[in-house]
Amino acid sequence: MSRHSGPREFSSLDRRLQALHDAVDAAAGVLPEPPLQAVLEVLARASSRRSLSADHTVVGFFGATGSGKSSLFNAVSGADIAMTAARRPTTSEPLAGVWGADGSGPILDWLDVGQRHRADPVEGFADESTGLILLDLPDFDSTREANRAVVQRMVGLVDVLVWVLDPQKYADAAVHQGFLAPLAAHGAVTLVVLNQVDRLPSPDVAPVLESLRGILSGEGLGAVRVLAASAVTGQGVDAVRTAIRTAAVQRRAQGQRLAADVARAAEELAAVSGSGRAAGVQPASRKQLAAELAAAANVPVVVRAVARSYRLEATRRTGWPVTRWLARFRPDPLRRLNLRSSAPAEVNRTSLPPAGAPEQARTDAAVRAFADAAGAGAPGPWRAAIRAAAREARDRLPDALDQAIAGTDLAANKRSCWWGVFNVVQWLALLTAAAGLGWLAVLAGLGYLQLPVPEVPRVEGWPVPTVLIGLGVVLGILLALAGRFLAAGAAAARAATARRRLHMAVAAVAQEQVVGPVERAVDRSAAFAVALKKASAR
């Protein structure tokens, strides 16, 4: 083995652990709490184990009652460390055989193993330099709940798992379904020993081993090494020792065990989350959302009010002076909507009718359609998270839209340059007509007083005073009509500008209140998928 393989492995493990942590962070509040908590426990165990001795490999012996687990433990250890038979018919608490006592204390404390035995060197197997800890554990099928709890805990803590099975119960569902099958990702740190093969006729050993391998393969443990042994005759004990020694000497079991824990945790998260990827926010759906929100927020009403207000103001400023005053009695549509207010945009509100049930339903439908389009293709929990993100601002949205409309510059107080020209010409036309009338009035007065009436100049046979009156009246009416046409065109242009600005304001609200949260939820789902993929990579 290359001397650099260990650091590389742990560097890879660092990245995978961080990726698993990132996946949990991304899934917080989206996936159910129990699986997330289980992953956090895996991360906590990994952190604890890595803070302890890396020079010790912890090997746990697991088995059912009567499997000869403790006897095999003694045979591998080369000493009667674990009491057996009449002296201790069942293992009630963990017992450790230690080769390399220095530095083993903290890890045994973490494992909560009180019974510790400093084992004698076994030639070709282990000595003080090996850094090996063998654990004889309670029977996993013990009737005592405390014993079963110890086994369950140790399954999650030891570096290497040695499962000791006996020929009569090697296919027992309790061990396969309860322990081995869930540990399919841990094949690299799992060893299965068919013990007590001395009880089998020699021709039956190979078929039983083949049957056991078939069962393991069906559980995803086809790569697990299966050995035959007998603690009584010593058959296969050296092979078991060799497998354990190899794991201890290579110093890779700890990293492989933690990597397998990460892989299993990632698989469980993936199973809870489901597969798929959110379509994300598309420009078309963003535009459709803004359009629907604009309609629900009465933007068309405001646009029409802008056009009517402009035409009314144009009439007040450019209409025939004789009749324009009548326009002052007509209410300004924008003023009625409180859209000529000088109050700051932060506190200003319109007088538009509040959103009723139809408008609220339209808003809800638009937001739901937008969220469904963004979450299309995502697995169920993430689609729900995206919908929830879209609905976060449901109660704030009407007020935010109203404030956006109130704060939009509709150019309501902006005057058109042609108003001044028309106004001046209108007054000149009125003065012209008034001059003609005044002239005729003077002539009529002179005649009434029997005074000499001067000759009135004529133009093409028409008296100049009459011409002035006719010219002033006709010009004023023509200007009023022309002003109406100009006002209609300018009103349409101003309404178009208002519509564009209002839609931009509504789109900004939609971005802040709906689109932004949805995009963040989509990004979280993508970050979760990427982190989970990194955590699963081997």
Side-chain angles (χ1 to χ4, degrees):
M1 181 184 70
S2 169
R3 62 188 179 91
H4 299 294
S5 61
R8 278 202 304 271
E9 180 178 331
F10 274 87
S11 177
S12 173
L13 182 58
D14 286 334
R15 291 193 294 270
R16 294 179 62 191
L17 286 168
Q18 182 59 50
L20 188 61
H21 190 280
D22 293 342
V24 173
D25 285 345
V30 177
L31 299 184
E33 188 64 25
L36 293 181
Q37 189 60 40
V39 175
L40 289 175
E41 291 174 2
V42 169
L43 291 171
R45 288 200 303 268
S47 177
S48 298
R49 179 62 183 92
R50 299 183 74 193
S51 68
L52 299 168
S53 173
D55 295 327
H56 286 81
T57 301
V58 181
V59 180
F61 278 64
F62 301 86
T65 304
S67 64
K69 166 176 53 63
S70 295
S71 297
L72 182 64
F73 176 89
N74 286 335
V76 170
S77 303
D80 191 15
I81 297 176
M83 292 182 295
T84 59
R87 288 181 294 166
R88 195 175 74 160
T90 60
T91 307
S92 59
E93 59 180 281
L95 180 147
V98 183
W99 288 267
D102 293 343
S104 65
I107 194 169
L108 288 170
D109 291 340
W110 176 65
L111 292 168
D112 195 20
V113 176
Q115 296 189 53
R116 309 171 187 183
H117 179 83
R118 188 166 184 171
D120 295 327
V122 177
E123 186 178 355
F125 174 55
D127 54 28
E128 284 296 303
S129 66
T130 307
L132 176 62
I133 300 174
L134 296 188
L135 297 181
D136 183 28
L137 300 169
D139 301 329
F140 64 75
D141 59 350
S142 172
T143 56
R144 295 182 58 188
E145 183 63 32
N147 288 357
R148 293 197 301 271
V150 169
V151 173
Q152 288 284 2
R153 183 171 63 85
M154 288 298 185
V155 164
L157 298 180
V158 300
D159 300 326
V160 178
L161 302 98
V162 177
W163 293 95
V164 182
L165 309 179
D166 68 85
Q168 282 72 39
K169 296 189 292 185
Y170 70 89
D172 187 3
V175 65
H176 288 277
Q177 296 178 10
F179 294 97
L180 287 171
L183 293 172
H186 296 68
V189 291
T190 300
L191 178 66
V192 175
V193 179
L194 183 66
N195 193 26
Q196 300 175 346
V197 293
D198 57 294
R199 296 184 179 181
L200 288 174
S202 297
D204 292 344
V205 173
V208 170
L209 286 173
E210 189 62 29
S211 173
L212 176 57
R213 291 191 180 97
I215 294 173
L216 293 172
S217 179
E219 295 166 344
L221 290 163
V224 169
R225 189 173 181 185
V226 179
L227 299 176
S230 171
V232 174
T233 66
Q235 178 185 349
V237 171
D238 285 341
V240 176
R241 285 175 174 172
T242 300
I244 293 174
R245 174 178 172 79
T246 299
V249 171
Q250 289 182 344
R251 301 284 194 269
R252 297 179 61 188
Q254 176 192 340
Q256 290 173 332
R257 167 61 203 256
L258 296 179
D261 287 345
V262 171
R264 181 185 176 190
E267 289 174 1
E268 291 176 348
L269 275 187
V272 173
S273 170
S275 60
R277 183 175 182 179
V281 175
Q282 304 299 320
S285 59
R286 189 198 304 261
K287 185 177 180 181
Q288 181 65 26
L289 173 66
E292 290 295 326
L293 292 182
N298 291 311
V299 165
V301 173
V302 176
V303 171
R304 289 194 295 271
V306 169
R308 290 199 301 270
S309 177
Y310 182 88
R311 288 195 298 268
L312 179 61
E313 190 66 19
T315 299
R316 291 173 178 175
R317 296 183 179 276
T318 66
W320 194 26
V322 176
T323 59
R324 70 168 64 171
W325 60 275
L326 294 173
R328 298 187 181 277
F329 292 98
R330 294 167 57 190
D332 185 339
L334 286 180
R335 198 173 299 280
R336 292 180 66 181
L337 297 177
N338 196 34
L339 291 174
R340 285 187 180 273
S341 174
S342 58
E346 293 78 9
V347 298
N348 193 24
R349 294 295 185 273
T350 73
S351 295
L352 288 164
E359 290 78 16
Q360 188 63 57
R362 183 168 189 171
T363 299
D364 290 344
V367 171
R368 185 168 56 252
F370 174 79
D372 288 345
W382 291 102
R383 284 201 309 273
I386 291 170
R387 290 195 194 104
R391 292 195 301 266
E392 282 179 0
R394 184 180 187 275
D395 296 334
R396 302 191 302 270
L397 196 54
D399 186 65
L401 290 171
D402 188 82
Q403 185 176 346
I405 292 173
T408 300
D409 181 12
L410 302 175
N413 299 316
K414 183 180 179 180
R415 299 184 179 185
S416 295
C417 58
W418 62 275
W419 287 358
V421 176
F422 269 57
N423 188 47
V424 170
V425 176
Q426 281 283 27
W427 281 107
L428 289 176
L430 181 61
L431 290 175
T432 299
L437 286 172
W439 195 340
L440 290 179
V442 170
L443 294 176
L446 290 175
Y448 180 78
L449 295 174
Q450 299 296 312
L451 295 174
V453 179
E455 185 70 23
V456 177
R458 293 177 178 272
V459 177
E460 297 293 333
W462 293 88
V464 171
T466 303
V467 171
L468 291 176
I469 294 172
L471 181 62
V473 171
V474 171
L475 182 59
I477 294 174
L478 290 176
L479 284 173
L481 293 174
R484 287 198 174 192
F485 284 108
L486 285 175
R494 185 160 292 187
T497 299
R499 182 183 297 106
R500 184 176 65 255
R501 292 179 178 178
L502 287 169
H503 275 276
M504 290 175 61
V506 169
V509 171
Q511 175 65 38
E512 179 181 357
Q513 303 290 344
V514 180
V515 178
V518 166
E519 287 179 327
R520 288 190 288 273
V522 170
D523 290 344
R524 280 182 65 190
S525 69
F528 172 82
V530 170
L532 208 57
K533 185 176 180 180
K534 289 181 180 178
S536 302
R538 300 192 182 186

